[in-house]
C-alpha cells in the first residue's frame, strides 16, 4: 500500500521520480495549491521564477537542449498557459522534450467559462506531442510518467498536462510509477535489414556522396557513430542549423552549414553530388530552396526515427528507419573504405571564393563600424570554441550560426523551425541550469532582446551566468535586409529607437559595457568572459550589414548571392 498524498504532492514525488531537479515557472490562482506543496519540496526541486510564462517555456527548452533531459514548466491557467503556447509550438517543430504543467479550474467548473478557464487540451493539441487533462488525484502519477515518456522517447517533443485544481488538493494513494510502453505508440520504428544493405550499396557505388547532418544525430547520442560513418567512406558532410554541433566545426569532412545562409560549397555541391544522405533532418524549406529542382540529379538516402518525415518533402530512394545510434553503425559495417579525394577537393574553390568575398570582410574588416561576424568569431575564440551558443532570431542568429565554432556536441540553442524572436534570453537562462559547468553565450538583436527583456530580472535573481552579447544595429535587421533586397529598400517599420541598455543593465545589477571601436573589441570580450556571473556586452554594429551568402526564397539551392550588386 502506497502513501496517501494530495495530487500536488504526488506531482512533486512523480517529478523527483523522473529525475527532475529544476523547474521554470510562475504561480497564479489555479496552480496555487501545487505551489503550496512545492514550498515543502524546495530542497529537492529548484524552482526558477521567470518573469513571463513564455520565458519559462523557452528556459525549459534551453535546459533540455544542452542537458538532454526533459525541461519542465509550471504555470497557472488561462493567460499563464496561453503564454506558453509559443514555447510549446517551438519545442514541437524543433523536437525538444519539455513538459508544461498548467493549473486548470476545478473539474466541477469546467466548461462554465470560469475565471481563467481556457480549453488547454484543444488549444495545445495541434502544437504538442500529447496534451492531457488531469481531473483526479489518482491519475497524477500515471499522467506524469506517461508525459515524460512521450516527451523524451523517439522523436522528442513537448507534452502539456492540464491540472484541475481539485485534483491538486484531493488525496489518492501514491505508488511510484514508470510508464515505458504505450499501445499504438511506436517511438522507435523497427529497422528493415534490407534498408541497411541498400543504403550501404548506394554509398559504396557513389562517387560524389554528400551527407546532411541534422539535430537527430545529437538527439540520438550518435555523434561518434556519425563520425565513424563519414570517416570510413570519406564523405563530406554539411550540417543544418540545429545540427551544427553534431560534428566539430574543424573536422576535415565538415563542409559547413546547409541552406539559405549556409556555405557556398555545401549548397553548390548539393546540386552536383550523386548521392545525398540525410541523417536526422527534415528537409526544411530553409535547407532545400526550390523543392522541384532540389538535388534532382542525386540518389537519396534518409535516416530518420520518424516515419512521417520520409518522403514528406523530398522523395528518397532508400529510407533507413530507426535510431541512428544503431542504424549508422550497421551501415558503416558494410561500407568500403574510401577517400573521395577528388570530390572533396572540388569544394575548395567555393570555400576560397566564400572566404574572400564574404568571410574575411566579416571577420577581419579593415575599416567602418563593427560587423556581426567579427564579434561572434572573437567570442567563440575567446571561449576556446567550447561555449554553448544561444541565439535569438534574425541576422544575429544566422551570423552566429556562420561564425561561431563548435568543438562539443549539444552546443546550439536556437529556434530553428519557428524562428521565435524573444527565445534567446530565456533559453540562455535555461542553458545555464542545464549545463552549469559550461560558458553560455547568447547573441541577440536589439529587437529580440526587447521581446523578453524582463528575463533580465530572472538573471539578476538567480545570478545566472549568461553572457549576453547584444548586436545592436538599431534595426529589425533581418526584415530590413529583406526589405532592402525584395522591397526596393522601403524600410517599413524596421528602424527602431533603442533604450539606453547600459542603464537597463545597471538597474538589473548586471555588469555591462559597450563596444563601438574595433580596437576595444577583444579586451571587452575578455573582460566579459573573465567576469564571473552575468554580463551584457553591447556592440554597435554596422546598421545596414547583411547576411551573405544567401539563397533567395524560391530559388535553386545553389543559386547563391555572395554580396549586394554594385
Ligand atoms: C515573434 C516574432 N515576431 C516577428 C518575427 C519576424 N522577424 C524575424 S527576424 C526579425 C528582425 C529581428 O531583429 P533584431 O532582433 O533586431 O535582430 P537582427 O536581425 O537585427 O539581428 C523579425 C521582426 C519573428 N521571427 N518572431
Amino acid at each position: 500500500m502506497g502513501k496517501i498524498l494530495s495530487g500536488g504532492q504526488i506531482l512533486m514525488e512523480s517529478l523527483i521520480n523522473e529525475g527532475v531537479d529544476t523547474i521554470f515557472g510562475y504561480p497564479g490562482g489555479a496552480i496555487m495549491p501545487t505551489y503550496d506543496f512545492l514550498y515543502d519540496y524546495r530542497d529537492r526541486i529548484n524552482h526558477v521564477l521567470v518573469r513571463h510564462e513564455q520565458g519559462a517555456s523557452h528556459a525549459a527548452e534551453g535546459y533540455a537542449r544542452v542537458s538532454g533531459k526533459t525541461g519542465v514548466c509550471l504555470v497557472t491557467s488561462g493567460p499563464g498557459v496561453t503564454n506558453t503556447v509559443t514555447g510549446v509550438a517551438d519545442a514541437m517543430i524543433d523536437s525538444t522534450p519539455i513538459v508544461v504543467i498548467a493549473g486548470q479550474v476545478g473539474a466541477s467548473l469546467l466548461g462554465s467559462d470560469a475565471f481563467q478557464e481556457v480549453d488547454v487540451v484543444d488549444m495545445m493539441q495541434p502544437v504538442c506531442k500529447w496534451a492531457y487533462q488531469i481531473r483526479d488525484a489518482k491519475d497524477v502519477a500515471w499522467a506524469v510518467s506517461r508525459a515524460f515518456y512521450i516527451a523524451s522517447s523517439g522523436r522528442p517533443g513537448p507534452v502539456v498536462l492540464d491540472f484541475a485544481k481539485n485534483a491538486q488538493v484531493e488525496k489518492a494513494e501514491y505508488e511510484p510509477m514508470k510508464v515505458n510502453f504505450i499501445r499504438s505508440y511506436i517511438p522507435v520504428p523497427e529497422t528493415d535489414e534490407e534498408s541497411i544493405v541498400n543504403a550501404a550499396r548506394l554509398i559504396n557505388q557513389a562517387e560524389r556522396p554528400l551527407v546532411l547532418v541534422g539535430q537527430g544525430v545529437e538527439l540520438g547520442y550518435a555523434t561518434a557513430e556519425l563520425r565513424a560513418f563519414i570517416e570510413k567512406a570519406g564523405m563530406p558532410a554539411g550540417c543544418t542549423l540545429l545540427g551544427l554541433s553534431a560534428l566539430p566545426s574543424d573536422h576535415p569532412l565538415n563542409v559547413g552549414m546547409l541552406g539559405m545562409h549556409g556555405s557556398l560549397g555545401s549548397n553548390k555541391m548539393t546540386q552536383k553530388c550523386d548521392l545525398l544522405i540525410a541523417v536526422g533532418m527534415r528537409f526544411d524549406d530553409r535547407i532545400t530552396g526550390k523543392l522541384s529542382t532540389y538535388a534532382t540529379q542525386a540518389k537519396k538516402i534518409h535516416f530518420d526515427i520518424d516515419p512521417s518525415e520520409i518522403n514528406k518533402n523530398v522523395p528518397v530512394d532508400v529510407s533507413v528507419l530507426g535510431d541512428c545510434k544503431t542504424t549508422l553503425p550497421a551501415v558503416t559495417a558494410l561500407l568500403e573504405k574510401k577517400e573521395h579525394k577528388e570530390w572533396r577537393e572540388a569544394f575548395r574553390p567555393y570555400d576560397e571564393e566564400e572566404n574572400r568575398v564574404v568571410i574575411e570582410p566579416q571577420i577581419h574588416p579593415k575599416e567602418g563600424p563593427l560587423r556581426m561576424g567579427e564579434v561572434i568569431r572573437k567570442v567563440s575564440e575567446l571561449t576556446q570554441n567550447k561555449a554553448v551558443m544561444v541565439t535569438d532570431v534574425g541576422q544575429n542568429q544566422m551570423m552566429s550560426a556562420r561564425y561561431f565554432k563548435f568543438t562539443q556536441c549539444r552546443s546550439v540553442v536556437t529556434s530553428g523551425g519557428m524562428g521565435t524572436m524573444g527565445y534567446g534570453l530565456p533559453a540562455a537562462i535555461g542553458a545555464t541550469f542545464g549545463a552549469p559547468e559550461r560558458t553560455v553565450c547568447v547573441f541577440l538583436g536589439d529587437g529580440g532582446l526587447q521581446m523578453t527583456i524582463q528575463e533580465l530580472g530572472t538573471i539578476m535573481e538567480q545570478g545566472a551566468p549568461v553572457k549576453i552579447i547584444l548586436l545592436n544595429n538599431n534595426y529589425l535587421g533581418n526584415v530590413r535586409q529583406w526589405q532592402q533586397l525584395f522591397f526596393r529598400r522601403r524600410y517599413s517599420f524596421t528602424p527602431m529607437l533603442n533604450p539606453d541598455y547600459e542603464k537597463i543593465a545597471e538597474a538589473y545589477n548586471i555588469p555591462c559595457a559597450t563596444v563601438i571601436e574595433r580596437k576595444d573589441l577583444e579586451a571587452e570580450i575578455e573582460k566579459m568572459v573573465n567576469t564571473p556571473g552575468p554580463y551584457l556586452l553591447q556592440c554597435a554594429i554596422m546598421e545596414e550589414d547583411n547576411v551573405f551568402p544567401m539563397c533567395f526564397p524560391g530559388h535553386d539551392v545553389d543559386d547563391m548571392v555572395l554580396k549586394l550588386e554594385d
Side-chain angles (χ1 to χ4, degrees):
M1 169 103 182
K3 283 186 277 187
I4 303 295
L5 299 175
S6 294
Q9 288 171 312
I10 297 175
L11 172 68
M12 298 303 144
E13 293 290 337
S14 305
L15 290 176
I16 291 168
N17 194 36
E18 292 294 334
V20 173
D21 52 21
T22 305
I23 63 180
F24 303 92
Y26 206 92
I31 197 70
M32 274 183 71
T34 293
Y35 266 84
D36 190 56
F37 293 119
L38 176 61
Y39 200 66
D40 295 329
Y41 283 82
R42 282 169 300 164
D43 55 336
R44 280 159 288 171
I45 298 178
N46 178 27
H47 175 275
V48 178
L49 180 70
V50 293
R51 297 301 187 261
H52 186 289
E53 292 87 351
Q54 183 186 352
S57 59
H58 296 321
E61 289 187 89
Y63 176 92
R65 283 277 182 87
V66 296
S67 69
K69 291 167 68 176
T70 299
V72 183
C73 304
L74 186 64
V75 297
T76 194
S77 66
V81 64
T82 58
N83 277 346
T84 69
V85 174
T86 302
V88 170
D90 193 281
M92 185 67 176
I93 196 161
D94 281 353
S95 309
T96 307
I98 64 170
V99 172
V100 174
I101 301 148
Q104 178 59 285
V105 303
S108 63
L109 292 174
L110 284 167
S112 70
D113 295 333
F115 179 62
Q116 295 190 328
E117 182 187 4
V118 68
D119 184 350
V120 172
V121 170
D122 278 350
M123 177 181 73
M124 289 291 197
Q125 228 150 22
V127 291
C128 73
K129 234 178 136 180
W130 186 51
Y132 182 76
Q133 187 171 68
I134 306 172
R135 289 184 223 161
D136 196 318
K138 73 173 173 19
D139 296 333
V140 175
W142 165 82
V144 171
S145 184
R146 188 174 157 119
F148 278 78
Y149 174 57
I150 292 175
S152 62
S153 57
R155 179 177 180 172
V159 168
V160 180
L161 293 177
D162 185 31
F163 196 9
K165 203 167 179 178
N166 63 295
Q168 298 173 37
V169 287
E170 286 162 10
K171 291 187 187 284
E173 187 183 335
Y174 171 66
E175 292 270 18
M177 187 170 267
K178 193 78 207 156
V179 173
N180 54 18
F181 170 78
I182 297 170
R183 191 175 57 82
S184 79
Y185 171 59
I186 304 165
V188 184
E190 228 171 275
T191 306
D192 178 1
E193 274 309 310
E194 217 174 305
S195 71
I196 300 282
V197 175
N198 289 340
R201 194 186 61 240
L202 284 188
I203 295 172
N204 287 334
Q205 285 168 354
E207 289 176 1
R208 299 183 307 283
L210 177 63
V211 178
L212 314 181
V213 179
Q215 188 196 198
V217 172
E218 278 187 352
L219 292 173
Y221 294 91
T223 51
E225 288 76 6
L226 174 85
R227 282 179 67 158
F229 172 69
I230 62 173
E231 284 168 7
K232 185 163 181 194
M235 297 183 284
C239 301
T240 66
L241 174 63
L242 296 186
L244 278 176
S245 62
L247 186 65
S249 311
D250 65 355
H251 190 285
L253 289 165
N254 191 334
V255 293
M257 187 166 71
L258 301 159
M260 182 176 272
H261 291 295
S263 70
L264 184 62
S266 68
N267 285 330
K268 287 279 183 196
M269 294 319 214
T270 299
Q271 301 298 80
K272 294 200 165 114
C273 64
D274 62 355
L275 179 64
L276 204 58
I277 305 149
V279 188
M281 56 84 75
R282 60 186 178 83
F283 291 108
D284 175 62
D285 54 86
R286 285 293 190 269
I287 294 292
T288 62
K290 188 173 172 185
L291 259 186
S292 59
T293 56
Y294 178 74
T296 43
Q297 82 292 343
K299 288 215 161 33
K300 299 179 192 77
I301 303 172
H302 193 170
F303 290 77
D304 213 286
I305 201 163
D306 181 356
S308 70
E309 287 299 340
I310 306 296
N311 296 329
K312 185 184 80 176
N313 294 337
V314 174
V316 295
D317 299 274
V318 175
S319 59
V320 184
L321 283 173
D323 184 344
C324 60
K325 179 108 188 143
T326 53
T327 55
L328 282 174
V331 174
T332 305
L334 305 179
L335 294 184
E336 293 160 14
K337 196 137 182 46
K338 295 238 168 99
E339 298 223 1
H340 292 299
K341 265 201 180 127
E342 216 173 296
W343 167 232
R344 284 164 55 191
E345 272 300 305
F347 284 73
R348 194 193 289 270
Y350 297 118
D351 292 346
E352 284 170 359
E353 188 183 1
E354 182 179 351
N355 208 40
R356 182 170 42 80
V357 182
V358 184
I359 299 176
E360 274 301 305
Q362 269 292 334
I363 60 173
H364 296 126
K366 299 215 172 16
E367 53 188 15
L370 287 174
R371 314 290 295 264
M372 290 192 187
E374 62 183 317
V375 175
I376 293 158
R377 179 59 62 82
K378 262 279 164 295
V379 173
S380 183
E381 283 170 5
L382 293 175
T383 51
Q384 289 73 51
N385 304 322
K386 284 185 180 153
V388 173
M389 177 199 81
V390 187
T391 80
D392 205 76
V393 166
Q395 292 182 316
N396 61 87
Q397 177 184 37
M398 291 297 111
M399 290 290 202
S400 300
R402 289 184 50 78
Y403 294 106
F404 208 83
K405 298 276 171 205
F406 304 98
T407 52
Q408 295 181 27
C409 65
R410 290 196 175 270
S411 298
V412 177
V413 180
T414 192
S415 171
M418 274 276 279
T420 306
M421 277 176 76
Y423 172 94
L425 195 62
I429 295 172
T432 63
F433 287 93
E437 69 294 348
R438 298 186 65 187
T439 302
V440 174
C441 298
V442 55
F443 297 93
L444 304 151
D446 36 319
L449 170 58
Q450 289 188 79
M451 279 214 174
T452 46
I453 196 166
Q454 69 282 351
E455 299 307 336
L456 291 174
T458 312
I459 291 176
M460 170 180 67
E461 187 164 274
Q462 300 290 333
V466 181
K467 308 299 181 194
I468 306 161
I469 299 102
L470 170 60
L471 302 168
N472 190 346
N473 52 15
N474 292 313
Y475 273 109
L476 298 173
N478 206 71
V479 179
R480 186 212 54 74
Q481 175 171 345
W482 283 49
Q483 288 171 335
Q484 180 175 7
L485 295 171
F486 312 122
F487 293 90
R488 290 173 286 123
R489 220 183 188 132
R490 284 154 53 89
Y491 291 166
S492 179
F493 300 99
T494 45
M496 205 173 53
L497 183 63
N498 270 300
D500 182 335
Y501 289 107
E502 294 206 15
K503 281 193 184 148
I504 289 177
E506 195 190 336
Y508 282 105
N509 205 17
I510 295 173
C512 177
T514 298
V515 191
I516 296 169
E517 300 213 30
R518 182 157 295 117
K519 65 176 174 40
D520 303 325
L521 181 64
E522 183 156 342
E524 290 296 349
I525 294 175
E526 254 169 13
K527 199 165 139 206
M528 172 185 77
V529 173
N530 294 328
T531 304
Y535 199 96
L536 173 62
L537 184 66
Q538 173 174 222
C539 300
I541 297 293
M542 175 194 267
E543 295 202 337
E544 293 184 68
D545 200 2
N546 288 316
V547 191
F548 286 115
M550 181 170 185
C551 171
F552 291 171
H555 282 232
D556 296 355
V557 72
D558 62 343
D559 183 8
M560 290 207 95
V561 176
L562 294 190
K563 58 177 185 170
L564 282 180
E565 289 303 322
D566 298 322

